[in-house]
Amino acid sequence: MPGRPSARRRTILRGAALTPVAGLGLAACGPEGGDASAPATPVDLGAESEVPKGGAKLYRDHNVVVSRDASGALKAFSTVCTHAGCPINKLQDTTLICPCHGSRFDATTGKVVQSPATEPLAELPVRAQGGKIVAGPGV
């Protein structure tokens, strides 16, 4: 159209250069490093002795955290963040830390202790069987 100014070459090149960067930003909001799903069937997590009383153990390969209270009772939770579905890969004492946006969860209750997540982690059935911990649906 004769009345409209044409886009400058510099503007077009700048837009083309920023497009891949924008894609990287969007990719950072998705799950990082691995399959972000809780177990669909029972999984053997290893020795029961690996979870100390009053502590927790993160099982990254299965997206599960298991904690043990002072009386010895076990609890398990999915470690798929309820904010953006990222697999949580860090446990500090009994606090789970999501790498994507910094949500934090209590590994003993599954409750959110720092946003942006607002929903607690999904609790999973868990039991000790023959000195091993088994967690997931159907346990």
Side-chain angles (χ1 to χ4, degrees):
M1 295 177 105
R4 290 183 86 178
S6 62
R8 291 185 168 179
R9 181 171 183 237
R10 181 176 292 160
T11 302
I12 293 170
L13 290 175
R14 186 178 305 136
L18 291 177
T19 300
V21 174
L24 287 174
L26 289 174
C29 289
E32 294 179 5
D35 179 25
S37 61
T41 59
V43 291
D44 181 349
L45 298 173
E48 180 182 4
S49 60
E50 292 180 356
V51 181
K53 282 188 179 180
K57 179 163 174 55
L58 176 60
Y59 299 91
R60 287 182 188 92
D61 292 345
H62 299 290
N63 293 322
V64 173
V65 66
V66 177
S67 63
R68 184 187 303 270
D69 66 18
S71 73
L74 296 172
K75 280 199 166 191
F77 299 92
S78 164
T79 57
V80 177
C81 182
T82 57
H83 171 248
C86 296
I88 298 170
N89 64 3
K90 186 174 182 181
L91 177 65
Q92 191 172 57
D93 296 318
T94 58
T95 301
L96 293 159
I97 304 166
C98 181
C100 293
H101 302 104
S103 293
R104 292 177 183 238
F105 300 86
D106 182 328
T108 64
T109 64
K111 292 182 180 178
V112 176
V113 293
Q114 181 177 307
S115 60
T118 58
E119 296 294 318
L121 296 172
E123 189 167 356
L124 300 171
V126 62
R127 73 170 182 253
Q129 177 179 325
K132 295 191 179 263
I133 296 173
V134 180
V139 168

